[in-house]
Amino acid sequence: MKETTFWSRLALVALCVAVAACTAPTRQPEQPADNDTAVANVPAAAPEEADINADGASTRSILRPEVSAPTPEPPALEPVDATIAFDRSGLTLTDASRELLDELVDRPAVKAGGPIVLRGHSDTRGSDRANLATSRKRAEIVATYLKQKGIAADRMTIIALGETTPIVPNARPDGSDDPAAREKNRRVEIHVDLPAAATPADDRTSVAPAATEQ
């Protein structure tokens, strides 16, 4: 009788456990909090839009206005000076002088329309009057070449200085002639000013018709 009662109680306990297991509520998976959901839904920044990469260098998007490429500055205008040499004939441009003039017309001050002064020079061989005329003729040759390159004639002022302003002595210290020095003095000096500057005035030299140096 006691054995029967033990097994009956054991069966009752097992039945209660089974019923409790069947009736217990099913545990639902935890839902993320609202702020967790918002963070999870934010897409990762594209590599080209990230501010800093793994090396610490900035990788801001080139499409952002605050990092757009700056506009390049226009070339600064500056006055231009050049010296044009002549060959032994005294009235013919050298190949090097033509190349220099070709480069000159491409300078910003020239393209901007700045006034141009051409100062002609000679050596001391010949009379003062003839040298003055020859120096003017040299400046006119340069002006003609520049006009052929598209420079307006009314931008150019011709000044004849003759033999008055040599850059080197025409003779050696012992008084003998120095052909190389004379060649350096046979020249035209060009000055191109900025467009806003006033055109040099009242220093044009009136001369007689051109003559060849003796």
Side-chain angles (χ1 to χ4, degrees):
M1 182 66 179
K2 292 182 178 180
E3 184 176 355
T4 301
T5 302
F6 171 77
W7 287 111
S8 297
R9 291 179 178 177
L10 182 60
L12 181 61
V13 171
L15 179 62
C16 292
V17 171
V19 172
C22 292
T23 59
T26 304
R27 181 177 178 82
Q28 298 295 328
E30 294 184 0
Q31 297 295 327
D34 291 341
N35 59 342
D36 293 338
T37 302
V39 173
N41 291 334
V42 175
E48 65 271 17
E49 295 181 353
D51 288 341
I52 303 297
N53 61 17
D55 296 330
S58 174
T59 57
R60 285 179 175 268
S61 171
I62 61 173
L63 300 179
R64 295 183 182 179
E66 67 270 17
V67 292
S68 59
T71 303
E73 294 290 337
L77 291 180
E78 296 181 353
V80 178
D81 291 286
T83 299
I84 304 303
F86 286 77
D87 65 7
R88 291 186 178 183
S89 71
L91 293 174
T92 304
L93 291 170
T94 65
D95 291 340
S97 294
R98 292 189 183 91
E99 291 179 3
L100 183 58
L101 289 171
D102 291 342
E103 295 175 1
L104 184 71
V105 298
D106 288 330
R107 300 290 290 273
V110 177
K111 289 187 173 183
I116 302 173
V117 178
L118 307 174
R119 291 182 170 87
H121 301 268
S122 72
D123 60 21
T124 56
R125 182 172 296 177
S127 67
D128 292 347
R129 184 181 180 86
N131 289 340
L132 191 63
T134 300
S135 66
R136 181 178 182 86
K137 180 63 176 178
R138 291 190 179 117
E140 290 172 345
I141 291 172
V142 173
T144 298
Y145 189 90
L146 292 177
K147 284 188 288 186
Q148 293 172 351
K149 295 297 181 178
I151 305 300
D154 59 3
R155 290 177 55 189
M156 294 183 281
T157 300
I158 292 177
I159 301 174
L161 295 172
E163 62 184 69
T164 60
T165 54
I167 56 176
V168 292
N170 289 277
R172 299 186 179 92
D174 61 3
S176 60
D177 186 39
D178 190 343
R182 290 183 182 279
E183 185 174 352
K184 292 179 180 179
N185 290 327
R186 298 193 293 267
R187 71 199 188 278
V188 172
E189 294 174 341
I190 302 177
H191 178 74
V192 184
D193 215 334
L194 302 183
T199 303
D202 299 331
D203 56 354
R204 297 181 178 88
T205 304
S206 178
V207 298
T212 304
E213 292 178 355
Q214 302 298 322

